[in-house]
Amino acid sequence: MRHFISTRELSAASIYRILSTAEEMRKHPALLSENYIAANLFFEPSTRTKMSFQIAEKKLGMESLDFQMEKSSMAKGESLYDTARTYEAIGADMLIVRHTCAHWYDELIDRTSIPVINAGAGTGEHPTQSMLDLLTIYQEFGTFEDLNVVIAGDIKHSRVARSNVYALVTLGANVYFAAAPGFEDDSLGIPYVSIDEACDMCDVLMLLRVQHERHTSASFHSFSYLANHGLTMEREQRMQRHAIVMHPAPVNRGVEIDTRLVECERSRIFKQMQNGVYTRMAIISILLNEWGVEHDNFAEKYQTIITRQ
Ligand code: NCD
């Protein structure tokens, strides 16, 4: 693993390696052997992902370089490539990038001499979110095989859905979509169920935010969305006892989910955020290790802890 860009090519073994390292980071946090420097280049707004990368870096003993697009030379027209190469030239050991373009990394991969992590690529992928989601599911069920996972919401515009589909299918889960008309994406070959069927049969209900900022028409009605496609109080009652509710957040309260359910017993929404820190610590340390920069081999030390059931 040279960069962490997509879940598409990740093997089950690489995913379990990340999860086990993350579990170990959670239980026994450890500093890296040197003060490496991470450049966090966020070209799109972010609270959770950006802050949890910063906290992950801090817990590993790294320095974080922040970046504000509007105050940077991007405002003078500098490209992503030149910005990234600048951070590399001044001493960054790793680039963590979020960008509106679904394939921003094509400009960088094989053109940098430091690892690159995808922290969100337009409507493309969000692989670190997927890993923290998987860790949350694993902590709950101890396996992925034959779990019924329904991803419900604005599939069409969701990078979270895409990254999770690739990884969950690799791990042997039964993945379904539930989506309002216009929010479907048939390119992924995933079967659809209604939100009512989803609530009856799922082990995991993964809700997605309505991505208003990526919509081209303004025909969305939040009032009827909850009733027709969201998690209402009635639907939550129909879920199996053990089933959990997830959401990558930010949550549109009262749209994807009744506001009273955001912190209900089944909700793992804040747990997901916590897991984001450990998962990102794991990904950073594994990459530094793979590049031969970090010699304390976290990955090897921890890789046997979580294995395929
Ligand atoms: C997601 C994102 O940015 O893609 N949020 C996140 O990273 N926690 C989901 C979203 O914005 O809806």
Side-chain angles (χ1 to χ4, degrees), residues 119-186:
T123 54
E125 281 212 54
H126 194 352
T128 66
Q129 176 70 40
S130 168
M131 294 301 113
L132 73 90
D133 291 339
L134 296 181
L135 183 61
T136 309
I137 296 173
Y138 191 88
Q139 287 168 345
E140 204 68 39
F141 298 99
T143 184
F144 298 95
E145 306 231 347
D146 289 329
L147 276 187
N148 291 332
V149 181
V150 182
I151 306 179
D154 189 355
I155 310 279
K156 184 174 175 183
H157 303 99
S158 174
R159 53 195 178 201
V160 177
R162 192 173 304 276
S163 285
N164 271 317
V165 163
Y166 297 142
L168 284 163
V169 167
T170 300
L171 295 170
N174 306 319
V175 186
Y176 303 89
F177 284 159
F183 284 176
E184 305 99 331
D185 179 348
D186 292 327

Side-chain angles (χ1 to χ4, degrees), residues 249-270:
V251 175
N252 290 312
R253 284 174 178 261
V255 179
E256 297 98 38
I257 179 168
D258 187 301
T259 190
R260 290 166 287 180
L261 295 173
V262 172
E263 294 182 64
C264 72
E265 216 184 306
R266 319 182 174 274
S267 167
R268 297 292 180 272
I269 298 175
F270 289 91

Side-chain angles (χ1 to χ4, degrees), residues 53-200:
F53 264 112
Q54 276 190 19
I55 291 178
E57 291 153 12
K58 206 175 181 58
K59 282 182 184 274
L60 289 169
M62 299 174 82
E63 301 288 331
S64 303
L65 298 181
D66 198 11
F67 168 78
Q68 283 174 298
M69 187 171 69
E70 54 299 341
K71 295 198 181 139
S72 76
S73 289
M74 301 264 321
K76 302 179 195 164
E78 191 165 41
S79 67
L80 170 61
Y81 174 75
D82 285 331
T83 306
R85 294 281 288 139
T86 301
Y87 274 85
E88 187 184 336
I90 61 175
D93 295 297
M94 173 171 281
L95 299 173
I96 293 158
V97 182
R98 167 173 286 198
H99 198 280
T100 44
C101 180
H103 291 280
W104 57 258
Y105 38 79
D106 291 345
E107 249 185 272
L108 299 188
I109 300 306
D110 300 329
R111 297 173 80 196
T112 63
S113 53
I114 53 176
V116 178
I117 297 180
N118 177 3
T123 54
E125 281 212 54
H126 194 352
T128 66
Q129 176 70 40
S130 168
M131 294 301 113
L132 73 90
D133 291 339
L134 296 181
L135 183 61
T136 309
I137 296 173
Y138 191 88
Q139 287 168 345
E140 204 68 39
F141 298 99
T143 184
F144 298 95
E145 306 231 347
D146 289 329
L147 276 187
N148 291 332
V149 181
V150 182
I151 306 179
D154 189 355
I155 310 279
K156 184 174 175 183
H157 303 99
S158 174
R159 53 195 178 201
V160 177
R162 192 173 304 276
S163 285
N164 271 317
V165 163
Y166 297 142
L168 284 163
V169 167
T170 300
L171 295 170
N174 306 319
V175 186
Y176 303 89
F177 284 159
F183 284 176
E184 305 99 331
D185 179 348
D186 292 327
S187 69
L188 292 163
I190 297 295
Y192 282 82
V193 292
S194 70
I195 186 69
D196 291 309
E197 286 166 330
C199 290
D200 288 339

Side-chain angles (χ1 to χ4, degrees), residues 284-300:
I284 291 172
S285 62
I286 290 173
L287 282 184
L288 287 173
N289 191 255
E290 296 253 324
W291 279 70
V293 178
E294 170 64 20
H295 295 294
D296 189 357
N297 196 341
F298 288 100
E300 239 171 46

Side-chain angles (χ1 to χ4, degrees), residues 44-46 48-49 98 119-120 126 129 159-160 208-209 211 213-214 247-250 280:
E44 260 191 8
S46 175
R48 269 151 294 271
T49 305
R98 167 173 286 198
H126 194 352
Q129 176 70 40
R159 53 195 178 201
V160 177
L208 298 174
R209 183 175 67 86
Q211 307 270 303
E213 74 279 21
R214 303 191 202 280
H247 191 305
R280 290 172 175 128

